[in-house]
Amino acid sequence: MDNDSHQPDGKTRILQEARTLFLERGFAETSMQEIADASGLTKAALYYHFRDKGELFSTMAFLEMDRIRQGLESLLTADEPLRERLTRAGLFLFESLEGDISRMMLEAFEHLCVEDHAEFAAKKSLFVHEGVVPVFAAAARDGDIRADLDSRLAATIWLGMIFDQFTSRRLGEGPPLSVADLAETIASVFLDGAGGRHR
C-alpha cells in the first residue's frame, strides 16, 4: 500500500495549513507564500487551486459554515422535545460563534472583495433555510409551535435572538449569564413568550 494514501491531498492540505495560520496570525498578516511553505507546496500550486487569498479564505470559511450547519441540523432533528433541541442547538451555536473561527471570519471579512461578500450572504441564507426552517415547519405540523406561524419567520426570530445576544456579549453588554443559561432562556422565551407559561 502507498504510504501517502492516507495523507490529505494538496487542496485539503492547503486549507488545513491556511486555517492554522489565519488563526495564529490573522488574515491580513498571513501571506500566500507562508501558506505554501506550511503546506509543503509551491506558490504556483496554491494558485492552481485558489485564485487568491480571498478565495482560499472563503472556501475554508464555507467549510466551517457547513460544519456548523450539519451540527445544528443534527441537534435540531434529534429525538427529544423541541425545548431541549432548541436549548442544545442554541448552546452549540453560541460556542461555535464565540470560538476562534468567528473572530478570524470577522477580521477577514474586512479584506474580502464584493463577490466574496455576496457569496457569504447567499451561503448564510442557505444555512438558515436548509438547516433551520424545516425544523420549525415540522414543529408547526406537530403542534409544538403555532400552526399559523411562518416557519421562515420562526427560524429567523430564534436565530436572531441568539445572534443578538452573541453580539451583545462581544460588546460586553450582554446579561451576566453563561451561554448554557442564555440558550435555555432563549428557548423558553421563544416557546412561551416573555410572560408566558412555563411547561
Side-chain angles (χ1 to χ4, degrees):
M1 179 184 279
D2 186 334
N3 288 336
D4 292 329
S5 62
H6 295 294
Q7 297 299 315
D9 63 25
K11 188 170 185 176
T12 301
R13 195 157 67 247
I14 291 165
L15 289 164
Q16 289 172 344
E17 296 301 334
R19 183 183 192 277
T20 299
L21 287 169
F22 287 149
L23 285 172
E24 287 176 356
R25 308 193 59 211
F27 177 85
E29 299 301 318
T30 301
S31 71
M32 289 292 270
Q33 185 62 61
E34 289 168 327
I35 296 169
D37 293 344
S39 304
L41 300 168
T42 64
K43 199 170 174 182
L46 256 68
Y47 285 108
Y48 172 78
H49 291 292
F50 304 99
R51 72 172 183 270
D52 56 25
K53 189 167 67 168
E55 183 184 38
L56 169 54
F57 174 80
S58 296
T59 302
M60 186 199 66
F62 295 150
L63 288 171
E64 185 66 18
M65 286 174 72
D66 196 52
R67 179 194 70 78
I68 293 171
R69 182 191 60 77
Q70 289 176 13
L72 190 62
E73 191 172 334
S74 174
L75 290 166
L76 286 172
T77 57
D79 185 20
E80 57 185 7
L82 182 61
R83 185 180 304 274
E84 281 72 29
R85 286 185 277 149
L86 291 180
T87 299
R88 291 179 193 276
L91 176 58
F92 171 76
L93 264 181
F94 274 122
E95 290 175 341
S96 297
L97 291 168
E98 292 190 342
D100 289 333
I101 289 293
S102 176
R103 174 189 51 78
M104 179 183 66
M105 288 175 74
L106 288 170
E107 186 253 337
F109 204 65
E110 301 171 12
H111 304 281
L112 298 179
C113 66
V114 172
E115 291 80 9
D116 289 327
H117 279 254
E119 194 170 355
F120 262 98
K123 288 280 186 179
K124 181 181 175 185
S125 177
L126 197 64
F127 174 93
V128 171
H129 290 196
E130 284 195 353
V132 182
V133 171
V135 173
F136 286 101
R141 285 193 306 272
D142 295 342
D144 291 324
I145 62 173
R146 287 170 28 198
D148 64 333
L149 181 59
D150 180 81
S151 56
R152 281 185 175 80
L153 179 59
T156 54
I157 289 171
W158 177 71
L159 286 168
M161 292 166 78
I162 291 170
F163 292 137
D164 179 72
Q165 288 305 309
F166 163 70
T167 302
S168 293
R169 286 171 67 83
R170 284 191 75 89
L171 296 173
E173 299 171 352
L177 294 175
S178 69
V179 288
D181 288 340
L182 262 179
E184 185 176 2
T185 299
I186 288 171
S188 176
V189 170
F190 177 82
L191 291 173
D192 304 329
R197 65 207 180 283
H198 185 73
R199 288 184 277 187

